[in-house]
Each structure stands twice: as structure tokens, then as C-alpha cells.
Amino acid sequence: MVKDKHVISTLGKAEVVIEDGKITSIGEPRINYCPIYNDIDNVDEITKDYIEMNINRRIKEFGMCTSKRIIKMEDIMTFGISETLETNLEIGTIDCVVGACEGVGTVLMTDPDTVQGVGGRVSGLVSTTPLPEVAEKLGRENVLNPETAELNQLKGVKKAIKKGYKNIAVTIIPSPMVKEIRELEIPDDVNIYIFVAHTTGASKEEVVELFENADVITGCASSEILDYADKVKPYYSGKKVPLFAATEKGREFLDNRLKSIGKPLTVKDYPLDRSNKPDPLV
């Protein structure tokens, strides 16, 4: 029997291990302060105690990393990657999101509330093991491999194409697979849009590759992304933790979300305001 074990890279980019619904390990956070969690919980410092409290709250509230996982949720923030995907699914500019969820691994989603529920409150998923109940909720036919909970966004994109989707968004963390997805040979009537999250700690080389291949990139606590953005000046939205549009289509996706919540559209205001950013930037 496969052990129930889920590893996530989360608050302050600390690695947290959850086994059988319980936290068994919390790594050292690399970030001491995040304006988002300061807004949510009025937290001035990300400590192991805060991480433990926050993760236990997620396990209790929506069954994160357990068979009780709730997969449909309302927005927790007004603007982020999952919120942007949610809006663009609603209006039809994309028809499928290739995401990742604890207990199932790579999964195809077409319901906006599911995209928000799956992606809105879980950070970087490092590894996971099968939770059959979660696969049933998401539809086993939508899961890349319900028997192993495999995490492979390239295979997920191929599955989405095979199922007939035409405008496919994929969420992914920085890795060489971003370029592999962009270079994938696809039918003429298929479009692939790449959304990169959890970029804290990305190297200078990785950041250049992300901007060359992705459509939307989160700033997170990445000094390299902010430095590169100051250099190439892409459109973006958000002062504390910006989302950058690396392509014109990426800008359209961001603006669609901003319009839907009545916020000002993407801007090109440079140099970036660094007065209230995660600390330290790495």
C-alpha cells in the first residue's frame, strides 16, 4: 500500500510534509515577511509556528491533503493566477486548465469554481500520493494517472489536446518543462498558455527562460524576476506581489480578470515599487 504523504512548498517557501492528515515536518522558511499573509492574518513574520497554524487551518477548513478535500471554493484573493484562470474560463477565452491537486497530481479542469478551489489555497505541490476520493470528485477521466497521482504538466497538456480542448492553460512552477511545453508540436487549431507560479528562488537563467516561454508569471519573492521586469518592462498588475504578462495574450488574460472585478488594467509603471514586498527577496 502506498503511504499517504504529500509534500508542499508553501509559506516563505518552507517545505511542509503532511501524512495521514497530520503535519509531520516543517522546513525552514526562506522568506520572513509576505505582504499577502500580512493582509490575511496580520502576520509580521513567517515563523514555523505560523506555518503550522496556517496549514492546520487549511486541513481543517477544506481538507487539504486528505480524502475530505473540498474542490470547489470561492475566491480568497481578488487577483492571482487561479482567479485569473477562473475568470477566463467563465468568459471562454480558455476551455481547459491543466493544474495540480494533492491526492491526484496533474488534473484537467473546466469548471471555474474547481480551478479556484484546487489552485487558490495550495502553493507549490512537490509530490503527492493517490487519494481515490479526491480523484472521484474531480473525475477520474480528468486525472493524468489516478493510480499514481503523477505530477507531469507536459503529459497533462498532451492529455488535454487528446481530449479535444483548443485553448489550454497550464499552471506550472519554474522548471525546464516550461520550455518543453512551449516547444511541443500542437495542431494548428490548438493554443497553449503557460502560467508560472511559485517563482521564489528562481535563478537568473530560469527567469530569462520563463519570460521567453510563458504567458503569465508571478513575481512572488523573486529578486531575479523583479530585476528582469525592471529591465524588459512587461505589462503587469499588483504592487505587493505583481503578476507579469510575458505575452500580449497574457496581458489580455490579466485584463479580463481586472475588468471583471472593476480594477485598473495592467500597467507599465517602472521602476517597480519595492516599498512593500516580501522580505527578503531571493
Side-chain angles (χ1 to χ4, degrees):
M1 185 175 176
V2 177
K3 188 176 184 181
D4 180 48
K5 181 178 180 180
H6 313 275
V7 183
I8 59 174
S9 181
T10 185
L11 297 144
K13 205 161 185 181
E15 192 162 280
V16 177
V17 180
I18 299 166
E19 300 176 80
D20 300 314
K22 306 285 185 186
I23 298 171
T24 57
S25 173
I26 299 175
E28 290 293 336
R30 295 181 64 187
I31 309 302
N32 299 322
Y33 169 81
C34 176
I36 289 177
Y37 288 98
N38 181 258
D39 288 347
I40 293 172
D41 282 328
N42 196 28
V43 172
D44 290 326
E45 184 181 2
I46 295 175
T47 63
K48 283 189 173 184
D49 285 343
Y50 172 65
I51 294 170
E52 182 177 17
M53 182 279 291
N54 184 284
I55 296 301
N56 277 327
R57 186 171 68 196
R58 296 190 214 186
I59 293 170
K60 182 179 179 182
E61 285 183 355
F62 63 92
M64 185 175 77
C65 297
T66 76
S67 60
K68 296 178 181 177
R69 177 70 149 90
I70 295 169
I71 63 163
K72 294 189 180 187
M73 286 183 269
E74 296 180 351
D75 300 354
I76 190 171
M77 299 191 301
T78 55
F79 187 69
I81 279 189
S82 58
E83 292 78 19
T84 299
L85 292 169
E86 175 190 30
T87 293
N88 281 280
L89 258 181
E90 284 172 348
I91 65 177
T93 44
I94 56 176
D95 58 9
C96 176
V97 174
V98 179
C101 181
E102 338 88 82
V104 300
T106 297
V107 60
L108 276 53
M109 298 171 284
T110 57
D111 175 69
D113 290 339
T114 299
V115 169
Q116 178 58 29
V118 165
R121 301 193 194 186
V122 180
S123 308
L125 186 58
V126 177
S127 65
T128 191
T129 53
L131 292 168
E133 298 88 345
V134 183
E136 290 297 331
K137 292 174 190 175
L138 289 165
R140 288 176 64 86
E141 70 281 2
N142 298 317
V143 177
L144 178 62
N145 192 331
E147 306 304 324
T148 64
E150 180 180 4
L151 275 167
N152 188 308
Q153 303 310 83
L154 178 60
K155 288 183 181 178
V157 168
K158 290 177 179 178
K159 181 179 177 76
I161 294 170
K162 194 172 181 180
K163 290 193 77 166
Y165 296 112
K166 303 300 182 185
N167 292 294
I168 302 160
V170 54
T171 61
I172 189 168
I173 61 177
S175 79
M177 196 176 283
V178 173
K179 187 176 182 182
E180 290 176 42
I181 291 171
R182 179 55 69 214
E183 293 178 347
L184 183 66
E185 287 192 27
I186 57 175
D188 291 340
D189 61 345
V190 170
N191 298 298
I192 307 297
Y193 305 112
I194 301 173
F195 288 68
V196 182
H198 211 55
T199 59
T200 300
S203 70
K204 186 175 291 187
E205 293 74 23
E206 281 179 316
V207 168
V208 172
E209 195 162 272
L210 293 180
F211 273 90
E212 287 175 348
N213 293 285
D215 294 280
V216 173
I217 303 162
T218 59
C220 294
S222 168
S223 59
E224 294 293 352
I225 283 184
L226 299 189
D227 289 347
Y228 192 76
D230 270 333
K231 180 180 169 184
V232 301
K233 299 178 172 54
Y235 280 94
Y236 70 93
S237 180
K239 289 186 177 180
K240 297 174 184 176
V241 182
L243 287 186
F244 295 100
T247 64
E248 193 56 41
K249 198 68 183 181
R251 183 189 178 197
E252 179 187 328
F253 292 140
L254 296 182
D255 282 342
N256 286 340
R257 173 62 184 180
L258 293 164
K259 285 177 196 170
S260 78
I261 56 175
K263 297 285 186 183
L265 303 187
T266 49
V267 296
K268 266 196 174 191
D269 295 340
Y270 287 93
L272 291 166
D273 178 2
R274 303 196 185 205
S275 60
N276 187 17
K277 287 281 186 288
D279 182 63
L281 294 169
V282 297

